Amino acid sequence: MATGGDLDGEDQTRPTWDSGGAAAGTASGSANDGINSATTAIERPTDEEILAQQNQIRAEQAQKSEYVGFEEPMSALKEEYINGNQNFVQKIGKLEASYGTFRRTRGDGNCFFRGFIFAYLENLLLTHDLPECSRFMSVVQAWKTRLVEGGFQELVFEDAMDVLLDQVKEITKPYTNYMHERLLVNMRDDTVSNLVVMLLRLITSCEVQRREDFFFPFIMGMYDEPPATVELFCQRHVEPMGEESDHLHIVAITEALQIPVRVVYLDSSGMPTGGNGSGLDATMHDFVPDSCVPGTQPRVHLLYRPGHYDILYPKGGRCVLLPCLSDM
């Protein structure tokens, strides 16, 4: 589960307000000591200022990458850790047997939702799965009523819903390479991409609140001092753009839209494999909605690294999957 900052990391250089040591000046005497102490007290930043600077650094670094990148070989991912985390190198090596490529997403706190919806729409496009397109559009349209009943104003989400439905309508047309390129362009566009992510966040929030009895134990176990109510949790940790996603978010959105997802965890978890205990297997978890028929395989594959999600592509092409049964 996402417990840290985005994968892009933070700038480790010393902030300008940090002198790097004791206050300047070594002259003895209580007067000088008093001046130095006063200067240090005045210049020392507050916790809020430190956090604001860290967030600014992260935001600036995130802007350097596209919302959704190009497909890359798994070897490019392995190269990131070749001189560092050897457990990750071994895990990626084992993943290469099942996954041929991956696609990066921007580490801006919205990476799960953005990667999830792009991978799903891309799968619809490449499989040209018209029945699934129809099912998905019906499910999304049904959420209009649920969102209003949940207290969200239609004016807030109607444009975002239209944008998402328009993407699916384009997919139902005969496939061309241009359509694939257009999907990527759209999901890199500030307006289109962020509207879709915003809608997914609202649907996730509504799903969590309408199933409060189910999700509240998750929330209680996530924090030492959890929010007092499910509604407050959603207002703080689900609805705002840039808030990182956790296990709870994945369960909620996969159930809400009835889309099965597999998350591969590239972290410290996993059990040694092989007779000599060498090597580690990455942990995998399938989030399959209750409405899906037995045997349903994941339609979306995501790679989790601490605080970040990217898209994975299984080897062997995109298979036709069993549908989920709508209960909306």
Side-chain angles (χ1 to χ4, degrees):
M1 291 186 285
T3 56
D6 290 318
L7 182 66
D8 297 308
E10 297 175 358
D11 191 346
Q12 298 301 313
T13 58
R14 192 183 303 278
T16 56
W17 41 257
D18 189 344
S19 65
T26 58
S28 61
S30 60
N32 284 342
D33 290 343
I35 293 174
N36 290 337
S37 298
T39 301
T40 301
I42 292 173
E43 293 182 354
R44 186 185 185 283
T46 65
D47 292 342
E48 290 77 12
E49 289 171 336
I50 295 173
L51 180 60
Q53 186 183 52
Q54 291 174 341
N55 288 338
Q56 181 181 358
I57 291 171
R58 273 207 279 175
E60 290 172 353
Q61 290 177 334
Q63 292 297 326
K64 299 176 183 178
S65 61
E66 297 282 4
Y67 285 133
V68 181
F70 293 106
E71 277 193 64
E72 301 178 52
M74 294 295 289
S75 58
L77 180 63
K78 186 191 297 183
E79 187 66 25
E80 293 183 23
Y81 302 100
I82 200 69
N83 296 319
N85 192 323
Q86 294 305 305
N87 283 339
F88 279 23
V89 172
Q90 293 177 30
K91 287 184 177 183
I92 295 168
K94 291 176 178 291
L95 287 176
E96 287 180 303
S98 302
Y99 295 98
T101 58
F102 77 107
R103 190 188 297 269
R104 303 176 194 271
T105 62
R106 179 182 291 186
D108 60 358
N110 300 309
C111 51
F112 165 72
F113 287 107
R114 209 181 312 271
F116 163 77
I117 196 61
F118 179 86
Y120 175 69
L121 294 176
E122 185 182 36
N123 178 272
L124 292 183
L125 175 65
L126 296 177
T127 60
H128 203 238
D129 192 338
L130 297 183
E132 175 64 10
C133 287
S134 178
R135 184 204 68 82
F136 179 69
M137 286 192 289
S138 296
V139 169
V140 171
Q141 289 167 339
W143 269 101
K144 178 180 292 187
T145 300
R146 289 176 181 260
L147 287 169
V148 172
E149 291 174 348
F152 297 97
Q153 295 183 2
E154 187 173 343
L155 182 64
V156 173
F157 64 81
E158 60 181 351
D159 287 345
M161 187 170 287
D162 288 341
V163 166
L164 177 56
L165 292 174
D166 285 344
Q167 304 307 305
V168 183
K169 290 174 183 175
E170 285 295 314
I171 290 172
T172 62
K173 299 177 182 178
Y175 175 83
T176 66
N177 288 331
Y178 170 78
M179 293 171 63
H180 200 172
E181 295 171 2
R182 185 63 182 168
L183 176 62
L184 181 59
V185 169
N186 285 342
M187 289 305 295
R188 287 177 170 180
D189 179 81
D190 282 335
T191 300
V192 173
S193 192
N194 287 328
L195 277 175
V196 171
V197 169
M198 180 200 73
L199 175 65
L200 296 180
R201 286 186 174 278
L202 296 184
I203 291 175
T204 302
S205 174
C206 193
E207 174 73 4
V208 172
Q209 292 183 70
R210 63 184 285 266
R211 299 177 60 197
E212 179 176 350
D213 291 343
F214 175 80
F215 283 106
F216 191 63
F218 284 84
I219 297 171
M220 293 296 291
M222 289 170 63
Y223 304 94
D224 293 333
E225 297 181 6
T229 66
V230 171
E231 181 181 9
L232 188 58
F233 166 81
C234 290
Q235 291 174 354
R236 291 180 179 177
H237 301 290
V238 181
E239 296 167 19
M241 295 290 284
E243 281 293 316
E244 294 178 9
S245 299
D246 212 320
H247 186 97
L248 179 147
H249 301 71
I250 304 175
V251 171
I253 195 63
T254 53
E255 287 287 346
L257 299 180
Q258 302 159 33
I259 298 173
V261 173
R262 171 171 294 171
V263 178
V264 179
Y265 292 90
L266 188 61
D267 55 19
S268 59
S269 63
M271 297 296 292
T273 57
N276 59 2
S278 62
L280 290 171
D281 280 327
T283 301
M284 300 184 184
H285 185 82
D286 289 351
F287 297 82
V288 180
D290 294 336
S291 58
C292 290
V293 299
T296 297
Q297 296 298 308
R299 191 175 285 271
V300 171
H301 294 248
L302 299 177
L303 174 69
Y304 171 84
R305 292 181 277 173
H308 186 74
Y309 295 86
D310 289 313
I311 302 169
L312 283 173
Y313 293 94
K315 287 184 174 180
R318 280 69 172 177
C319 59
V320 178
L321 305 173
L322 295 173
C324 288
L325 304 177
S326 175
D327 62 353
M328 301 290 284

